Each structure stands twice: as structure tokens, then as C-alpha cells.
Amino acid sequence: MGLEVDIRKKVKGFTLDVNFKNEGLHLGIFGASGSGKSMTLKCIAGIIEPDEGRILLNDKVLFDSEMKINIKPQKRNIGYLFQNYALFPHLNVEENIEISLNRKKEDMKLKLDEIIELFKLEGLEKKYPRQLSGGQQQRVALARAIIKNPDILILDEPFSALDFHLKEKLEVELFELLKTYNKEVILVTHNREEVYKFCDYMTVIDEGKVVLEGNTKEVFNNPKYYNVSKLLGYDNISELQYLANDTIKAAKWGISAKMGAKLENEFSFIALKDNAMVINNSPLSNGDIVVEIIIADIIESINHFDLLVKNVSYSQGEVISLKVDKKSFEKINLKENLFLHIGNEALIYLK
């Protein structure tokens, strides 16, 4: 059971070649704009036909190039929430929702009343899309996608067109609504906050290929590859040099450290988590890598400070960025010597 995708598609100098599985989880398909995320979804939904490969949903073959099977989109029982919601402007709320149903009129009315109440659309039944707010339009589109009880629900960048204040509110609403839907959900997004909040499991696509997949929190904690770490927003990444006596060096910052065990040469880069390092006025190590630093810049955010710091003993080195919560920042004496403490939990080795 679940979703299995193994497809290839070439279009205008771009090749999509993806292979992944999902079994009943909220799956995030994550990647930069133009990486092939939406094309993958459209192949699953039947909107785009792959050149070759196979797509199975709950052991039902939706597409198989060898067997010449390509089930029509309307026969795939897939709920699809498009980026722009794709509501019919000439139909009111009721009509936009019930267009997905194929039932007797009496049964349709019962189901429609149930979904209107569930999605808090009471009083809006006769309004047209132009008369609705962005949040109301999203709820109508989601109601239309869910009302036919699809085998899988696909959300294609559902918040990309929304202002920040509206986006936060709708994220909460969508979380609540999805609790009523206990089947597979695929969220496609280039926003790392969204995939982290929504998805149990994630597949990272870069330039048309799956480069990493796994438990979402594990992928964020250990992105494994340089290009994945960049996609996930890691700013502190340096080339890794191997010195004698099990010593490594982050060339970008001029920081060297002796490792407790030999590190295999398979890693080419090292990254530092910006929220897992500490600044204070003490040079005492406690097992951490300790570097005397100067602060190059301080940027205040609502709940924390973004600090850019440099290694005192490597003036030509680049800055390291880190986040410090405001209570911790108040304890730092900026007039005294400053030390950056980098524990093992802040280090990520990358291929």
C-alpha cells in the first residue's frame, strides 16, 4: 500500500528522473524553484504523462509505460489543491465544491452540508470566488479536493501566493483541517519552515533528481550533502581539510581541531548549525572547540540576535553566523574577550 513513483520525463533541456515511495505519511517534496517538484506532482495526478516509468497508488497502477497504462486524471481519485486554488469564477461556493461529486442529488446535499460545516463555510454557500478572502478561497479549494474522499491529497505550494500575516493564520487552519483526513498527503514546497511543520517524511529534489529522503527532522539535522544543506538554509559551510594526527581544518574560518577518532576522507565540507553554538567570555573548553572571536555585525530580530563573528587569529577568514536568544545575549560582556564554543552537536559533515 502507499505511493510508489519511478518516472522519467524530458522537456526543453530539463530531465526529471525521480524514484521514491511513501506509505501513509505526510510527505514533503522539497526543493528550489524549477527543481521538478510540481512536474512530479502533475505526473502523479495524470496532468503530465511521463516518458517512461511506473506510478502505483495503493497497489493500483496509475501509469506504466511498458504495460501502456495511463489512467485518466479524473479516474485516479486524487485530491489536488493547486497553487492558485483553480476555483471556477462563474460558480459559487456550493457549486465549486459539488462539481467533484458524482452522486444522487439527495446524497450530494447531505455530503455538501457536512463538508460546508467541517470547513467553516456556513453563510458563504452562494458567494463567488471574487467575493471571498484568500483564506476562504483556500478552504473552498481544499473542501472540493477532500469531498470525494480521495486516496491521496496533493498540496502544490498552498501558501506561496499569500502575504505573511495571512499565511501564518492559514497554516494553522490547514493543520486542523488535515487532522480530519487520515490518508496520505503530499506537500510540495520550496519553504523549509512549511516542510518542517507539516511533514513526517521528506524527499529532496534537486535538478530533477531525488538527492535525499528520510524522516524530516533527521534530514534537517543531518543533510549529508553540500547541495541539500544549502537548500535547507545552512549558511556556515566550509571546505574541509585533513591534516596530520587526526586533525581537521575548516579552511573558510581558519579553525582546526583534533578529532577523537579518525574521520573518513569521504567528507568534503563541514557545516555549523547557527543555533547550536554559544558565545561567552570564558575560554574554558569542556570538550568544545573554542575560538576567540570578534563580532563583525549584530542584527536584532523579534526573538533573537543574528551575530556575524570572525576568528581573531585568522583575519582574512570569512564570518560565521549564529543566532543568540535575547536572554543569553544580555549575559555577554561585549567589552571583554569573546569566545565561540562549538560543540559536537553543532558540527555536520557533508559529502
Side-chain angles (χ1 to χ4, degrees), residues 244-248 256-260:
N245 302 318
D246 296 340
T247 300
I248 59 170
S256 300
K258 187 173 178 61
M259 306 305 295

Side-chain angles (χ1 to χ4, degrees), residues 29-243:
I29 297 182
F30 178 81
S33 297
S35 61
K37 306 183 305 296
S38 291
M39 184 186 291
T40 301
L41 283 198
K42 289 173 181 174
C43 288
I44 295 169
I47 299 168
I48 293 177
E49 181 179 349
D51 296 330
E52 61 176 336
R54 199 163 186 247
I55 302 171
L56 279 77
L57 180 59
N58 297 336
D59 296 329
K60 177 184 177 182
V61 178
L62 302 183
F63 174 80
D64 190 310
S65 56
E66 288 189 3
M67 298 174 66
K68 300 191 183 306
I69 295 174
N70 186 23
I71 304 297
K72 292 180 180 180
Q74 59 270 29
K75 300 284 188 181
R76 296 193 179 198
N77 198 28
I78 290 174
Y80 201 125
L81 181 65
F82 293 88
Q83 290 183 33
N84 61 358
Y85 310 140
L87 298 176
F88 295 103
H90 62 289
L91 300 181
N92 63 31
V93 168
E94 276 187 343
E95 292 165 339
N96 260 290
I97 296 172
E98 69 185 11
I99 201 169
S100 292
L101 291 174
N102 183 21
R103 297 167 176 251
K104 293 180 181 178
K105 201 161 189 177
E106 300 79 13
D107 293 341
M108 187 184 293
K109 184 68 170 68
L110 286 172
K111 186 66 176 175
L112 189 60
D113 289 346
E114 178 186 322
I115 211 84
I116 289 286
E117 181 180 356
L118 177 64
F119 284 83
K120 299 181 176 65
L121 295 168
E122 299 97 326
L124 302 175
E125 294 91 337
K126 303 302 179 184
K127 290 187 179 292
Y128 290 86
R130 65 180 181 276
Q131 299 172 301
L132 304 176
S133 68
Q136 290 167 341
Q137 288 182 31
Q138 187 187 69
R139 293 207 302 273
V140 174
L142 191 57
R144 184 179 63 187
I146 283 181
I147 195 170
K148 61 180 181 179
N149 193 28
D151 294 322
I152 189 170
L153 180 63
I154 290 175
L155 311 175
D156 190 0
E157 301 273 9
F159 307 111
S160 61
L162 300 175
D163 293 334
F164 179 76
H165 71 283
L166 182 58
K167 176 183 170 179
E168 284 197 319
K169 180 175 182 292
L170 292 185
E171 281 182 347
V172 174
E173 288 186 3
L174 187 57
F175 273 135
E176 292 304 312
L177 291 172
L178 289 179
K179 288 178 182 177
T180 68
Y181 179 78
N182 57 3
K183 297 183 182 179
E184 286 191 74
V185 177
I186 296 180
L187 170 71
V188 161
T189 182
H190 64 273
N191 185 297
R192 57 183 182 269
E193 293 287 339
E194 290 173 13
V195 77
Y196 194 86
K197 289 177 184 176
F198 274 93
C199 303
D200 313 298
Y201 198 86
M202 66 186 289
T203 295
V204 183
I205 295 180
D206 188 33
E207 296 182 352
K209 296 184 182 297
V210 174
V211 290
L212 186 63
E213 54 185 324
N215 175 279
T216 298
K217 290 181 174 57
E218 291 175 4
V219 169
F220 270 81
N221 285 329
N222 184 14
K224 293 185 180 181
Y225 300 98
Y226 174 85
N227 56 341
V228 177
S229 66
K230 295 294 286 184
L231 287 171
L232 293 177
Y234 281 88
D235 294 321
N236 302 314
I237 305 175
S238 171
E239 286 188 20
L240 186 61
Q241 296 177 352
Y242 294 86
L243 308 179

Side-chain angles (χ1 to χ4, degrees), residues 245-303:
N245 302 318
D246 296 340
T247 300
I248 59 170
K249 181 178 181 179
K252 191 174 181 178
W253 312 301
I255 298 174
S256 300
K258 187 173 178 61
M259 306 305 295
K262 186 174 180 179
L263 194 67
E264 296 298 329
N265 289 8
E266 61 180 315
F267 298 107
S268 301
F269 299 90
I270 188 168
L272 306 177
K273 295 180 182 178
D274 61 6
N275 60 352
M277 295 179 282
V278 174
I279 288 181
N280 57 39
N281 301 108
S282 171
L284 297 178
S285 169
N286 292 325
D288 295 341
I289 300 169
V290 180
V291 183
E292 187 174 3
I293 49 118
I294 56 170
I295 296 178
D297 201 1
I298 300 174
I299 303 165
E300 184 175 4
S301 296
I302 296 172
N303 298 314

